[in-house]
Amino acid sequence: AKQINALLQGLDKLFAMDFLSDDDAFEGAVKALFLETFPNKEALFKKRRSYLNVNFIDSEFAGFVKTGHFFKALIVLRDFDLSSTILATEPSASLAKSCNYLTDFNLKKFAQRAWKKHFEDLKETEDSPDSTTTHAQAFQETHSFFGQVMTKLDEYSTWLEAKRAAKTEDELSVWQREDKVESMLQDVVNGYDEVAFDYFLDNSFELMFKYQTADYLSRRSIRTLYWKAKED
């Protein structure tokens, strides 16, 4: 009974959200994300983790709530992934809305990839990797990275459009039938090819185009050479 009362009292404090400031862009975004997903205490018990079909009150979450580590409790609920805050806040929110060649799925995968990249890098150098400060820094760095990549994707889109404009009528029909420009841009960020994203960042548009239009064996050879060069 004492454990249950301690959890319920902790949940009251958690939902009060006094540990997050509305005046801080990151903390305000985390607060909005949490309350959108879990508008009240009952939702924590009723909502199910789709892959396990259990509610969100596991021992790790409950332990953080009972000991007053409320921010840690929140990131446990999000499986340590706060990338949704990137697409919900500026400047990345506007960039995502203005993008007409990436789907919501592509943008979500890209935000997750960008968040993981910066948060994992910070975890290796920070004394308290689960602190609000570390996540706030990852938030700022991910926003910056998101903008840089979106700018390069936009430039690649323009480059591909020029490439398409130079095609013959027969070649153009193939490009249009296969949605070539859109599929190549989506290929960069969707994560199905573990090399495409890094290769895109490190190389010219011409080299990226050659990689994306190569056959399977040629692509695999390019990947091998690319990773070898990275290791050296």
Side-chain angles (χ1 to χ4, degrees):
K2 288 183 178 180
Q3 292 294 320
I4 294 175
N5 286 334
L7 174 61
L8 293 176
Q9 289 173 6
L11 288 176
D12 287 336
K13 295 178 181 178
L14 176 69
F15 276 88
M17 291 286 173
D18 292 338
F19 59 98
L20 295 174
S21 171
D22 291 325
D23 297 327
D24 181 90
F26 170 66
E27 293 185 13
V30 172
K31 183 176 181 178
L33 175 64
F34 175 73
L35 292 177
E36 179 183 352
T37 309
F38 303 100
N40 50 51
K41 288 186 293 186
E42 288 72 20
L44 288 170
F45 293 92
K46 291 180 179 179
K47 284 181 177 283
R48 319 297 287 181
R49 291 186 183 273
S50 58
Y51 54 92
L52 293 175
N53 195 31
V54 296
N55 66 33
F56 286 79
I57 311 295
D58 60 17
S59 58
E60 186 175 23
F61 171 77
F64 285 141
V65 170
K66 287 185 286 188
T67 55
H69 294 93
F70 299 122
F71 183 76
K72 289 183 178 181
L74 292 187
I75 61 176
V76 166
L77 288 177
R78 300 296 304 182
D79 292 325
F80 301 92
D81 176 16
L82 297 181
S83 60
S84 296
T85 60
I86 301 300
L87 297 177
T89 52
E90 300 298 342
S92 298
S94 294
L95 289 172
K97 287 179 182 177
S98 64
C99 176
N100 57 11
Y101 43 80
L102 296 181
T103 65
D104 288 343
F105 173 80
N106 297 141
L107 290 165
K108 181 179 179 180
K109 295 296 288 185
F110 172 33
Q112 288 175 334
R113 180 194 294 263
W115 176 271
K116 182 178 180 180
K117 167 184 168 59
H118 291 90
F119 181 63
E120 292 297 324
D121 287 347
L122 287 169
K123 278 179 66 176
E124 294 180 1
T125 59
E126 296 290 328
D127 293 330
S128 302
D130 294 330
S131 69
T132 309
T133 303
T134 302
H135 283 79
Q137 187 174 346
F139 176 78
Q140 296 295 333
E141 292 182 6
T142 302
H143 263 305
S144 177
F145 182 71
F146 191 96
Q148 292 170 15
V149 175
M150 291 295 286
T151 297
K152 188 169 183 179
L153 277 171
D154 192 51
E155 292 170 353
Y156 189 39
S157 171
T158 301
W159 188 90
L160 288 172
E161 291 289 358
K163 197 85 170 174
R164 177 163 62 181
K167 294 292 179 183
T168 65
E169 187 173 335
D170 289 342
E171 291 173 330
L172 186 59
S173 66
V174 174
W175 273 54
Q176 291 173 334
R177 184 170 64 250
E178 297 178 356
D179 290 328
K180 205 72 171 179
V181 173
E182 290 80 1
S183 64
M184 292 176 83
L185 292 166
Q186 292 169 11
D187 181 48
V188 173
V189 299
N190 63 22
Y192 295 139
D193 182 335
E194 70 277 11
V195 170
F197 184 74
D198 290 334
Y199 194 81
F200 170 74
L201 295 181
D202 290 343
N203 291 283
S204 68
F205 295 153
E206 188 68 48
L207 286 175
M208 185 63 192
F209 180 78
K210 288 179 179 179
Y211 175 73
Q212 290 186 297
T213 55
D215 59 35
Y216 173 76
L217 290 177
S218 298
R219 220 179 196 198
R220 189 170 69 176
S221 177
I222 293 171
R223 283 199 295 265
T224 301
L225 291 172
Y226 172 71
W227 281 122
K228 187 177 185 304
K230 293 278 281 188
E231 290 172 357
D232 294 342

